Amino acid sequence: PLSLKSSAKDLQTKASYAVYAMLAIGAVEMCCAFIHGTFQLLGPNPIDYDMVGSNIIDGLSDMALAFGGIAILPYVLADMLEPQNARKVVMKATTRIMFFYLAVAMVGYFGWANSIQIMTPLQMMMSMSFGYQSCARIISLLFIIKTLTTFPLTFWPLYREVEALLQLDEVLGVQLQLPWAVRRQKVLKVATKICLVTMCLLTLLLNGQSSHQLVLLFMGIPLNVCHFAFPACVGCLAIRRHWQLLKTGQEAREDTVEYMFHSKKIHYLSVHVMAAVMIAICLGLCSYMVLNIRSAPDPQDGCSLWDKSCDIDP
């Protein structure tokens, strides 16, 4: 039902609830981790910490997925009232997210140390005293709120693309504001939303192995292509188009454009080098996901995809 309301005001309200819920989750988690780590540090058996992680590749993959929400950025920028502030908004949002992730990671590792390789922090808190268990239940409740408010935000771009494909607003009767056409348009929009939401939720009916393989498939190919390969190709096309326009005199002079190190050639080469690096990362991540698509939990053991206590080959 929350996905049926997709106006700008409704989406802004849901986004605010999701952000506040996530900040509260981080605050509760860091408080519990700091208290537990302090008691362990002052106790008779101090915790041992690793200077270098034993599974850096999976850690980098998790951090890349943590910024997966950047895929919605074009839709956000398209609806901005002041698009000239897009760069400032993106930089500010990315910086705040980075510091939030960094704080949660550092304080969390200080509190739970290497035990997070075996169990998630929530599982550890549920196995401890009543206070930690209460905090774990609060975090679970906040995660439910965050999920309910985030789903409409991730669903909104999909609905916009399907709506543009169906061209519901291009019908002649709707453009003439005929009552029957307007009513029909509203019914079709609601039916489209219900159909899309149902299709998204049908994946929950899959067993553990099929769900795991489906998630890896979508993370391995479309997600990485959208995050790495597509921006890299667009950057190369943009700088080449800019170079052609400069040669034909259809664009401003070179001295009016801000280049990297004030050099057009260095800027041109830097864009292509970074594009090659991003495409290489995309190919590596795609290969990694596809090769590990068979490493799924047994659907009979009741383990979830992200349950670290299950014996699953990452």
Side-chain angles (χ1 to χ4, degrees):
L2 295 175
S3 301
L4 299 180
K5 296 182 179 181
S6 57
S7 64
K9 185 177 180 180
D10 292 328
L11 292 175
Q12 183 179 6
T13 302
K14 295 181 179 69
S16 299
Y17 282 123
V19 171
Y20 291 143
M22 202 65 217
L23 290 176
I25 291 171
V28 175
E29 165 66 22
M30 287 191 291
C31 288
C32 294
F34 182 78
I35 293 173
H36 182 264
T38 302
F39 277 107
Q40 292 293 324
L41 191 64
L42 300 177
N45 298 317
I47 304 176
D48 293 329
Y49 298 97
D50 291 335
M51 295 300 296
V52 179
S54 58
N55 204 348
I56 297 179
I57 301 299
D58 281 349
L60 293 175
S61 177
D62 290 341
M63 287 304 300
L65 292 176
F67 284 89
I70 199 173
I72 203 175
L73 183 60
Y75 299 93
V76 176
L77 299 181
D79 291 340
M80 286 183 63
L81 296 177
E82 299 179 356
Q84 65 272 16
N85 296 330
R87 182 175 181 181
K88 184 188 298 183
V89 171
V90 172
M91 293 296 295
K92 184 181 294 185
T94 306
T95 303
R96 291 179 178 179
I97 293 172
M98 180 190 67
F99 279 112
F100 175 76
Y101 285 154
L102 184 63
V104 172
M106 294 182 65
V107 177
Y109 186 67
F110 168 75
W112 312 117
N114 294 330
S115 57
I116 58 176
Q117 298 181 10
I118 304 173
M119 294 189 296
T120 63
L122 279 181
Q123 292 173 335
M124 292 188 58
M125 292 165 65
M126 288 301 297
S127 64
M128 298 170 67
S129 61
F130 177 76
Y132 287 102
Q133 293 179 6
S134 301
C135 291
R137 293 187 178 95
I138 293 175
I139 291 177
S140 300
L141 178 61
L142 291 172
F143 264 121
I144 294 174
I145 297 175
K146 193 256 182 186
T147 302
L148 293 176
T149 53
T150 302
F151 183 80
L153 301 177
T154 57
F155 172 77
W156 165 57
L158 173 63
Y159 170 69
R160 285 191 54 175
E161 294 291 342
V162 174
E163 185 182 26
L165 179 65
L166 297 178
Q167 297 182 346
L168 299 177
D169 297 330
E170 302 298 327
V171 180
L172 181 60
V174 175
Q175 294 180 353
L176 295 176
Q177 292 297 305
L178 298 178
W180 64 267
V182 174
R183 289 195 299 269
R184 180 173 175 270
Q185 182 198 36
K186 291 181 179 179
V187 172
L188 289 177
K189 285 187 175 182
V190 173
T192 303
K193 292 179 181 179
I194 293 175
C195 180
L196 291 175
V197 171
T198 304
M199 293 176 62
C200 293
L201 296 179
L202 283 177
T203 57
L204 299 176
L205 301 178
L206 299 175
N207 58 32
Q209 184 176 5
S210 300
S211 177
H212 178 76
Q213 293 177 347
L214 187 65
V215 169
L216 284 180
L217 179 63
F218 278 97
M219 289 194 304
I221 301 177
L223 189 65
N224 288 318
V225 169
C226 292
H227 286 182
F228 295 100
F230 180 73
C233 295
V234 170
C236 291
L237 292 175
I239 191 63
R240 291 187 178 188
R241 179 61 176 169
H242 171 69
W243 197 304
Q244 292 175 357
L245 292 177
L246 285 175
K247 289 182 178 179
T248 57
Q250 299 180 22
E251 196 164 305
R253 296 179 305 171
E254 295 184 25
D255 54 1
T256 62
V257 181
E258 183 178 352
Y259 295 110
M260 185 179 298
F261 299 110
H262 305 287
S263 173
K264 184 179 66 173
K265 292 184 178 180
I266 295 179
H267 192 101
Y268 184 88
L269 292 175
S270 300
V271 170
H272 284 78
V273 169
M274 289 306 301
V277 172
M278 293 176 66
I279 292 176
I281 293 175
C282 175
L283 293 176
L285 291 175
C286 290
S287 302
Y288 177 79
M289 293 290 186
V290 172
L291 291 176
N292 287 274
I293 200 170
R294 295 183 177 276
S295 59
D298 186 356
Q300 304 297 329
D301 62 6
C303 294
S304 65
L305 176 60
W306 313 116
D307 190 351
K308 293 186 176 182
S309 63
C310 299
D311 188 12
I312 302 174
D313 182 10

